Amino acid sequence: MTEEYSAEVKKLHTEMVRKLSGNLAPVWNLKIKWGELLDSLSHDNPLSQAEIQGISTMQQLFVALMDKRFIDYGKYGPFEKSLRPIHPNMASAVKQFQAKIIAQIAKEEKKRDVALTPKIGKDTVEEVGHDENEDWDEIIEDDEDKDERSAPLPETERLKLQAEMLLELSDCLGEKQKDDWAKFMTNLRVYFKAGVLADIHNVMDAFNTLKKRGHLKLGFYDVLKDMVRPIDDDMVTIIDKFSADINRGLPARERAPIGKGTKRRMSYRSKGNLAEGQASMGSQRNEQPTKKSRHS
């Protein structure tokens, strides 16, 4: 990724895609306009016929267009132009969301600029922000104090953010990322036997199964982060950003740590996966304390 976007920007983007999905899809009376839209974007403009044939949802279409750099967050002009003759109302909706996203990005950039602007006093110049050598625990404590002054989100809002997080992770582990999905499924073997894995076909299935077995809960996603970290750090960033929003305002004891403190080794529980886990950790296995026998 060449540029990082905030959770709020991605939330607006997701809302736009969902709105489009309700009006353009390969179902019933929406099929004709859906076909016209795909046709307008085919013939390497920018998608090939083979790529078009693999697209069956608006979400997949946007992923493909962003992969081609045809569009980006807040930059939907070429897509809006293709859509306007087919569905003017939805083209206008895209334009409205584009304006909101551009405004949000500008707002965040301004906020960052202000945070980095030196405060000039009579005798001193103090730079706002944390020194890179500053103690990490002190930074975390300061951030926690700020969070605790704000009211926690209602559980319904937290669940909504969690769903949006899973939607973004699904974009990173979709059908087109077969190699990454295979790695993800391999990591799941640490927790589940083959019979359970056979029922997992997407990120949502994996999340629900991990949650059902007690490995995840609302706001606590360490196990999920451990699984995606070896695949793509961008997914860890996504989880951290949404976790911060989901847990904002909660007492520190009710929140999962974000950032450096969350990195840990995966626990290899079954005998079959123990050797695999030790091999994957390489020399780190020598750091593990020897487990004493109950009879010693």
Side-chain angles (χ1 to χ4, degrees):
M1 295 174 66
T2 57
E3 187 174 354
E4 288 291 340
Y5 293 95
S6 70
E8 185 61 32
V9 168
K10 292 181 179 180
K11 179 181 176 182
L12 288 168
H13 173 87
T14 301
E15 288 176 4
M16 178 185 69
V17 174
R18 285 178 177 168
K19 185 177 183 68
L20 290 170
S21 298
N23 291 270
L24 288 157
V27 295
W28 300 103
N29 59 328
L30 305 179
K31 278 185 177 180
I32 295 177
K33 291 186 181 297
W34 171 256
E36 291 175 355
L37 176 61
L38 291 186
D39 188 59
S40 71
L41 297 167
S42 63
H43 306 294
D44 297 318
N45 185 36
L47 303 174
S48 67
Q49 286 300 108
E51 289 170 324
I52 287 290
Q53 290 175 3
I55 294 173
S56 58
T57 66
M58 186 63 70
Q59 181 184 351
Q60 291 174 350
L61 176 60
F62 265 72
V63 170
L65 293 175
M66 294 181 88
D67 285 345
K68 292 282 187 178
R69 301 188 183 279
F70 187 70
I71 58 173
D72 199 355
Y73 292 101
K75 301 174 183 177
Y76 308 112
F79 176 77
E80 185 264 335
K81 184 178 179 180
S82 296
L83 179 60
R84 185 157 294 280
I86 300 165
H87 205 313
N89 288 342
M90 286 300 98
S92 296
V94 170
K95 207 164 186 177
Q96 290 170 3
F97 272 102
Q98 177 173 271
K100 290 180 182 179
I101 291 172
I102 290 173
Q104 180 64 28
I105 292 173
K107 177 182 176 182
E108 291 169 5
E109 288 177 348
K110 183 177 180 181
K111 188 175 180 180
R112 281 195 296 268
D113 290 342
V114 170
L116 295 173
T117 300
K119 288 183 177 179
I120 301 176
K122 290 182 179 179
D123 302 313
T124 62
V125 176
E126 179 185 357
E127 185 172 334
V128 179
H130 298 301
D131 184 84
E132 61 180 3
N133 296 318
E134 190 172 352
D135 185 76
W136 179 259
D137 291 334
E138 291 180 4
I139 296 173
I140 293 296
E141 288 174 4
D142 289 343
D143 290 341
E144 287 177 352
D145 290 341
K146 292 175 184 176
D147 281 347
E148 287 175 2
R149 287 197 291 269
S150 60
L153 291 174
E155 185 172 354
T156 53
E157 288 298 315
R158 298 177 72 212
L159 289 170
K160 181 180 177 182
L161 286 170
Q162 178 177 270
E164 290 174 4
M165 176 186 75
L166 294 175
L167 188 63
E168 289 200 21
L169 292 176
S170 296
D171 287 344
C172 300
L173 289 169
E175 293 180 357
K176 292 190 176 182
Q177 293 82 22
K178 291 183 179 179
D179 290 343
D180 288 346
W181 177 252
K183 293 175 185 176
F184 183 71
M185 289 296 289
T186 298
N187 291 342
L188 280 175
R189 288 171 55 199
V190 173
Y191 294 90
F192 305 123
K193 295 180 180 179
V196 177
L197 293 176
D199 294 326
I200 295 176
H201 306 290
N202 51 51
V203 171
M204 188 63 73
D205 288 345
F207 182 87
N208 288 336
T209 305
L210 286 164
K211 180 181 175 184
K212 185 177 179 181
R213 302 298 176 94
H215 298 299
L216 299 172
K217 67 177 183 177
L218 183 62
F220 287 78
Y221 309 113
D222 281 5
V223 169
L224 189 60
K225 287 170 64 175
D226 285 341
M227 290 184 178
V228 301
R229 182 177 283 111
I231 302 171
D232 189 345
D233 281 338
D234 285 343
M235 287 189 280
V236 177
T237 301
I238 290 171
I239 295 172
D240 277 345
K241 285 182 177 180
F242 275 97
S243 295
D245 288 337
I246 290 168
N247 293 325
R248 182 173 292 120
L250 293 175
R253 64 181 177 276
E254 296 181 22
R255 283 183 279 147
I258 303 298
K260 294 183 179 180
T262 59
K263 189 171 183 179
R264 61 182 179 82
R265 296 187 184 94
M266 295 176 71
S267 59
Y268 294 85
R269 303 185 306 159
S270 66
K271 184 177 180 181
N273 285 323
L274 180 59
E276 179 184 342
Q278 289 175 331
S280 69
M281 288 190 286
S283 61
Q284 290 182 358
R285 65 180 180 272
N286 295 324
E287 300 173 9
Q288 300 287 341
T290 304
K291 187 175 182 180
K292 294 183 179 180
S293 169
R294 289 182 296 175
H295 304 292
S296 60

